[in-house]
Amino acid sequence: NNYMVFKGTLEEYLFVSEIVPERMYMFNKDLKTGLSVIWNIGTKAEFIIDSQPIAVKKDCFLFLTSFHTIQKIEFEKLRVIQFNQPFYCVENHDSDVGCKGLLFFGASTIPKIRIDHEEKKQFELIWKVLEMEIEQKDDYSLEMLKSLLKRFLILSVRKYRQQNLDINEDSKAIGIIREYNFLVEKHFKTKTTVAAYADMLFKSPKTLSNFFKMHIDKSPIEIINNRRLLEAKRLLKYSKIPIQEIAEELSFSDVQAFSNFIKKHTNKSPTFIRDN
């Protein structure tokens, strides 16, 4: 039935499955934990994730974390790989895989790659072996599955870099940008200035700003603001937390400052976002 889950003794969790629309409920249940790779193998799929419409062609992948909220999804057939922190910690293995801040936890955009016919053969092969290995259920399964997942992620990172980053110029700068994105993902509720992150990275704000100019179309402060905005919108839409408390949680000095921030970036008031 292509519905496969590996559960280890230390709560390690890996889910590998092909999904058709009738099995949609699995998204609502299973995508709440850990990290997900969604591979569209049908005709074009349409998502709305965190209020952002995303069209996904055949043989495109999306990389999501439990921070993302899928509001709507129309598709023919998807493959989903999902794993939690105990199964494979992206943070600890970053030197092996390099996907932290690229495929996962990359500030406010949703990473996407598209593979061609030749590359597809490699991914297909890993997919088949993942399915076979999940059925084995023996002492070697965990290590085998981890190494297969790692290979899958490395191929994805390689592709992502080709498609999204001018990587040859200065991979050190790219490393810093990724690290910055990752730190923002961890600390955006409490650290709200570029200087705070510059300190953590032992760089000056100016150096950071130059790295960003060279390689991506966002400034360091935009990454912080986009992340805080995303969280603010989520809390306004999907929680009952009072606006005052949301402002405090995101380290705004008061409700007025929070309200001004939201208005500046959306032209709407927090109350309007909550009620609509």
Side-chain angles (χ1 to χ4, degrees):
N1 70 24
N2 283 349
Y3 173 75
M4 309 206 177
V5 175
F6 169 88
K7 287 189 167 122
T9 48
L10 297 170
E11 290 178 27
E12 300 97 337
Y13 173 91
L14 175 73
F15 168 93
V16 175
S17 182
E18 283 189 0
I19 296 183
V20 289
E22 299 78 71
R23 314 275 297 279
M24 250 316 285
Y25 62 88
M26 284 157 61
F27 266 114
N28 310 331
K29 188 172 89 224
D30 297 315
L31 286 177
K32 291 285 175 281
T33 57
L35 305 174
S36 307
V37 182
I38 296 175
W39 173 0
N40 182 23
I41 55 168
T43 51
K44 191 169 89 165
E46 302 274 351
F47 290 78
I48 296 180
I49 299 173
D50 294 323
S51 309
Q52 184 187 344
I54 296 177
V56 183
K57 292 187 175 129
K58 188 172 183 173
D59 289 324
C60 277
F61 295 54
L62 288 182
F63 299 87
L64 302 176
T65 68
S66 51
F67 297 114
H68 293 109
T69 307
I70 299 180
Q71 281 116 355
K72 185 171 168 242
I73 167 173
E74 283 170 17
F75 65 98
E76 186 186 34
K77 201 171 194 187
L78 299 174
R79 285 178 174 167
V80 176
I81 295 177
Q82 201 180 27
F83 57 97
N84 64 3
Q85 199 81 329
F87 181 82
Y88 191 83
C89 176
V90 169
E91 225 174 306
N92 295 348
H93 293 282
D94 191 52
S95 55
D96 312 344
V97 181
C99 58
K100 180 181 89 177
L102 285 186
L103 300 183
F104 299 108
F105 308 114
S108 51
T109 50
I110 292 167
K112 187 161 95 168
I113 61 172
R114 186 171 190 192
I115 53 172
D116 64 28
H117 184 66
E118 277 309 301
E119 292 157 338
K120 187 174 176 174
K121 291 178 190 165
Q122 293 196 61
F123 282 101
E124 287 280 0
L125 186 63
I126 300 175
W127 181 267
K128 284 200 179 75
V129 184
L130 269 170
E131 288 189 326
M132 282 158 45
E133 194 52 49
I134 267 190
E135 291 193 312
Q136 287 290 337
K137 299 205 184 352
D138 63 18
D139 297 348
Y140 305 109
S141 295
L142 179 64
E143 287 312 312
M144 276 291 275
L145 289 167
K146 272 188 189 173
S147 62
L148 288 162
L149 175 66
K150 181 170 150 184
R151 186 157 180 209
F152 197 96
L153 293 174
I154 288 173
L155 288 177
S156 301
V157 169
R158 200 180 271 168
K159 191 71 202 162
Y160 184 81
R161 289 183 153 190
Q162 281 168 12
Q163 289 177 352
N164 295 280
L165 296 169
D166 189 358
I167 203 78
N168 305 334
E169 264 185 67
D170 181 1
S171 56
K172 187 159 164 271
I174 299 293
I176 301 255
I177 290 170
R178 288 174 47 218
E179 200 57 35
Y180 181 89
N181 273 347
F182 185 71
L183 288 171
V184 169
E185 187 58 61
K186 277 183 109 159
H187 301 289
F188 70 90
K189 289 183 178 174
T190 53
K191 296 190 188 327
T192 60
T193 64
V194 174
Y197 295 99
D199 281 352
M200 290 160 85
L201 292 164
F202 305 106
K203 297 276 174 248
S204 74
K206 182 134 186 57
T207 304
L208 281 185
S209 179
N210 292 340
F211 282 169
F212 276 75
K213 263 202 201 84
M214 274 159 45
H215 293 282
I216 63 174
D217 55 359
K218 289 195 181 75
S219 67
I221 191 66
E222 275 179 86
I223 289 196
I224 299 172
N225 287 342
N226 287 350
R227 190 61 189 87
R228 293 175 89 202
L229 183 64
L230 185 61
E231 193 67 15
K233 282 188 192 159
R234 277 183 195 154
L235 292 171
L236 289 167
K237 279 186 176 168
Y238 305 115
S239 79
K240 303 268 188 289
I241 301 172
I243 290 174
Q244 164 90 37
E245 280 177 38
I246 296 177
E248 280 167 23
E249 188 173 331
L250 294 175
S251 302
F252 285 92
S253 53
D254 53 36
V255 173
Q256 193 53 52
F258 176 65
S259 186
N260 293 345
F261 175 83
I262 298 292
K263 279 200 185 106
K264 180 181 163 189
H265 292 282
T266 65
N267 293 326
K268 300 181 179 88
S269 70
T271 322
F272 183 86
I273 291 175
R274 171 151 277 177
D275 296 342
N276 289 273

